[in-house]
Amino acid sequence: METLNFLLHGFSVALMPEHLMFAAIGALLGTLIGALPGLGPANGVAILIPLAFSLGLSPAASMILLTSVYAGAMYGGRISSILLNIPGDEPAMMTTLDGYPMAMQGKAAEALAISAIASFIGSLLATIGLIILAPILARFALHFGPAEYFALFSLAFATLGGVTGKNQVKTVVAAALGLMISTVGVDISTGNQRYTYNILELYEGVDFIIAIVGLFAVSELLFFIERHISEGAGSATLNKLNLKLSDILHVLPTSLRGSVLGFVAGVLPGAGASLGSFLSYSLEKRIVGKSGHFGQGDPRGVAAPEAGNNAAANGALVPMLTLGVPGSGTTAVLLAMLISLNVQPGPMLFTQNAELVWGVIAALLVGNIMLLILNIPMVGLFVKLLSIPPKYLMPVVTLIAAVGIYSISNSALDLYFMVGFGLLGYLLRKLEVPLVPVILGMLLGPEMERSLRHALTISDGDWSILFSSGLSIGIWVVAFAGLALPYILGPILRRRMENARARMEIEEEAD
């Protein structure tokens, strides 16, 4: 009953005219960003963070805008997957297996409509799961002491590579780099300067908002310049929508199963929407068996991954809000925004900032309805966007990010830092070193250091306090398992995903 009261209060926040406007803008921008191959939700949210600051938005308005962008980008990723056979982001890769064949059969509008409905179901059920699970997990987290929190932060880094990570060693290196950057500034405990080189702007540390925009937005621009892309993907032709109620009912069980599986994958730190999409597709293919024609344009092959990746996206908000540990790359960026707003995620968030957190949750429910309404009639607009040459689009995106960064502090040095992080991000991506662990290290590093110091102060320097409770031992066991599992399961899952795509290409050539 208490949760229901909080949710009703959240709706009073989300339904304010100003917040409704930001939810609608975020949903539209997110869908546009998601439709563009390569950008993805993390880049979309990172690009708009400076804009939220420069507009002077309240914490509630900022988070509603950015979470709506997040949800919209997850919806939008399917558009280029279905129409162009180019995934808008990694979680949308599985959608190409049946979405593009449907488009080739003259059923592009039906595929887009089914994917939108499945995305809506996945997001809706995951948000309901968030409403139920998050307060329970937050109350459980109140039992955490400094030793348990240190173990939890270690778990976040251990599982960051996820079972779909390409190289766990590079993930650890990236996280270590982020932790190193997080130590820049004046040590709160001793007052000593660390790696500031007498630069006044570094006394308070490196601003992770600048780092995020540089690592994501600027490095993406550099990649576009390197590829010399001069033409867009080209527009696609849409048929008239001819979707019947029976078609929706046909994919409804698929969407429900994919939503549950995707939500579970999203709650697991480091797993993310890619795993939710893959598992949902694989499970549905196994359930349907030979009666289906997966890889040849089966609508259930579109509904399953879309429900799975959207449910996983919302599920990733659970550990971020309740424990302060992001469940995905995009939630790591959202975590940075919360911290920048002087809002500390964790178990106390649901009591100290109840209006904010429940307003955002309610806005997710409202935003899902907006996205369903937007995505079906406005598909033609999104298709036209795909024809814009990236050589025009990416500089505009970067300019918006740069103006936003400068408007926050009016410091030209911040722009140099942004460019520096952009060059660093470009180099890391060339070396196939993931960027999200760098951001996570910068975000969690200060709190991780404080937890370790607090624990050692309590124990008089005895390191055994880190393993003194059953809860901390359990977290350490899961952390070590998280480090080992990618080496065991990662190659298997990647091989299956590659085999599924190879089979589809062979079948296309045979036809």
Side-chain angles (χ1 to χ4, degrees):
M1 193 65 182
E2 183 183 18
T3 298
L4 181 59
N5 290 332
F6 279 126
L7 183 60
L8 290 174
H9 182 62
F11 273 111
S12 70
V13 175
L15 295 177
M16 292 172 60
E18 178 188 5
H19 293 164
L20 280 175
M21 179 185 69
F22 285 122
I25 292 172
L28 177 61
L29 290 177
T31 306
L32 293 173
I33 290 168
L36 296 171
L39 278 182
N43 281 322
V45 174
I47 290 166
L48 291 176
I49 282 179
L51 181 63
F53 276 111
S54 61
L55 292 175
L57 301 183
S58 66
S62 299
M63 290 305 298
I64 286 173
L65 172 66
L66 296 179
T67 51
S68 297
V69 170
Y70 179 25
M74 296 306 298
Y75 269 70
R78 80 204 195 285
I79 296 174
S80 57
S81 299
I82 292 171
L83 298 177
L84 304 175
N85 201 27
I86 302 173
D89 54 9
E90 188 179 345
M93 187 179 71
M94 301 306 294
T95 307
T96 63
L97 298 180
D98 284 277
Y100 187 66
M102 283 187 70
M104 292 297 96
Q105 297 165 15
K107 299 178 180 178
E110 285 80 0
L112 288 166
I114 287 172
S115 66
I117 293 169
S119 297
F120 171 76
I121 294 172
S123 296
L124 179 64
L125 292 184
T127 305
I128 294 172
L130 172 64
I131 292 169
I132 296 171
L133 183 60
I136 297 173
L137 189 58
R139 285 194 291 269
F140 173 72
L142 290 174
H143 299 288
F144 281 36
E148 287 75 17
Y149 266 111
F150 181 78
L152 186 66
F153 292 138
S154 301
L155 169 64
F157 290 117
T159 58
L160 191 61
V163 295
T164 57
K166 292 182 179 180
N167 190 314
Q168 192 75 351
V169 174
K170 290 182 178 179
T171 300
V172 173
V173 170
L177 177 61
L179 287 172
M180 289 169 61
I181 297 174
S182 74
T183 62
V184 174
V186 176
D187 188 338
I188 297 176
S189 300
T190 64
N192 295 328
Q193 295 182 32
R194 301 189 295 191
Y195 314 112
T196 59
Y197 302 102
N198 291 322
I199 300 175
L200 185 63
E201 286 82 357
L202 289 179
Y203 282 17
E204 294 183 1
V206 178
D207 191 332
F208 37 72
I209 299 300
I210 297 172
I212 286 172
V213 174
L215 289 172
F216 286 96
V218 177
S219 69
E220 189 66 33
L221 174 66
L222 294 175
F223 260 85
F224 270 112
I225 293 173
E226 182 190 39
R227 293 167 188 158
H228 300 289
I229 296 178
S230 59
E231 296 181 0
S235 60
T237 303
L238 283 176
N239 60 297
K240 186 177 180 181
L241 180 61
N242 185 26
L243 191 67
K244 302 174 183 176
L245 179 61
S246 58
D247 297 327
I248 298 175
L249 295 176
H250 180 59
V251 300
L252 182 59
T254 297
S255 301
L256 295 174
R257 285 190 289 265
S259 300
V260 173
L261 198 57
F263 178 72
V264 173
V267 171
L268 299 173
S274 299
L275 180 64
S277 174
F278 174 74
L279 291 180
S280 299
Y281 185 89
S282 301
L283 174 67
E284 195 61 27
K285 188 174 181 180
R286 188 176 296 273
I287 290 174
V288 173
K290 295 182 179 179
S291 62
H293 45 281
F294 281 69
Q296 302 173 25
D298 193 314
R300 291 167 293 189
V302 175
E306 284 303 307
N309 68 38
N310 280 272
N314 284 15
L317 292 171
V318 175
M320 186 204 82
L321 293 173
T322 58
L323 302 174
V325 175
S328 68
T330 314
T331 52
V333 179
L334 289 172
L335 178 67
M337 183 63 181
L338 275 176
I339 296 174
S340 299
L341 294 168
N342 293 321
V343 177
Q344 183 59 49
M348 298 306 296
L349 178 65
F350 284 78
T351 54
Q352 295 177 349
N353 298 95
E355 180 175 320
L356 170 64
V357 68
W358 287 105
V360 169
I361 292 173
L364 281 173
L365 294 170
V366 176
N368 282 330
I369 298 173
M370 289 182 176
L371 283 165
L372 185 63
I373 296 172
L374 281 172
N375 268 261
I376 295 178
M378 296 187 67
V379 164
L381 172 64
F382 304 141
V383 171
K384 287 189 184 341
L385 184 71
L386 296 177
S387 64
I388 298 177
K391 68 175 183 179
Y392 301 127
L393 185 67
M394 286 308 300
V396 171
V397 169
T398 309
L399 177 63
I400 293 172
V403 170
I405 287 292
Y406 184 77
S407 66
I408 294 174
S409 62
N410 296 319
S411 170
L413 185 63
D414 286 348
L415 295 178
Y416 291 123
F417 276 125
M418 182 188 75
V419 173
F421 275 106
L423 293 172
L424 175 63
Y426 172 78
L427 177 63
L428 292 176
R429 289 173 64 177
K430 291 290 286 185
L431 297 173
E432 296 186 348
V433 176
L435 301 181
V436 170
V438 179
I439 295 298
L440 193 63
M442 293 179 62
L443 291 174
L444 300 186
E447 284 298 320
M448 191 176 187
E449 182 182 5
R450 274 192 284 271
S451 296
L452 178 61
R453 284 185 169 182
H454 190 188
L456 293 177
T457 300
I458 293 173
S459 66
D460 234 1
D462 185 0
W463 288 81
S464 65
I465 190 175
L466 300 178
F467 311 95
S468 60
S469 68
L471 182 57
S472 62
I473 292 173
I475 296 173
W476 282 114
V477 169
V478 176
F480 285 120
L483 280 172
L485 281 177
Y487 289 105
I488 301 171
L489 297 180
I492 297 173
L493 290 176
R494 285 197 300 275
R495 190 163 54 249
R496 288 188 176 183
M497 293 172 74
E498 291 168 359
N499 290 341
R501 192 168 182 84
R503 282 196 302 269
M504 186 196 74
E505 292 174 354
I506 293 171
E507 290 167 358
E508 283 180 358
E509 292 174 1
D511 293 340

